[in-house]
Amino acid sequence: MAYRYWCGECGFRTAWLSGSEGDRQQIEHYAKRHPGTPPGGHVEVGRIPDGCCGCLLVAAIALLLLVAAAACPR
């Protein structure tokens, strides 16, 4: 799972991160931008893709390079 933390005081949000890393970044943001205010806001929960799309992209690029190499005159 991936989490994105939103600040309750301003428009700040973290990237999609693990729960502990997102929590740490939100605490650091509040300490820097909103001192004395306890961290608030909300958390979005998402799912990190299993990497299937990345492998498919690499395979497609490899296939295109192979076709381009085969089409070149010798």
Side-chain angles (χ1 to χ4, degrees):
M1 297 299 266
Y3 304 89
R4 181 163 52 185
Y5 288 73
W6 291 77
C7 177
E9 313 302 319
C10 66
F12 172 80
R13 68 175 186 240
T14 67
W16 289 101
L17 303 166
S18 67
S20 59
E21 180 64 19
D23 192 41
R24 185 188 64 75
Q25 283 191 12
Q26 185 183 39
I27 290 169
E28 287 177 1
H29 167 77
Y30 266 82
K32 184 187 229 182
R33 302 286 183 181
H34 313 291
T37 305
H42 67 277
V43 179
E44 281 184 81
V45 179
R47 186 170 178 271
I48 298 173
D50 295 333
C52 140
C53 296
C55 293
L56 183 59
L57 180 61
V58 170
I61 291 171
L63 181 61
L64 287 174
L65 290 173
L66 184 61
V67 169
C72 289
R74 292 188 164 76

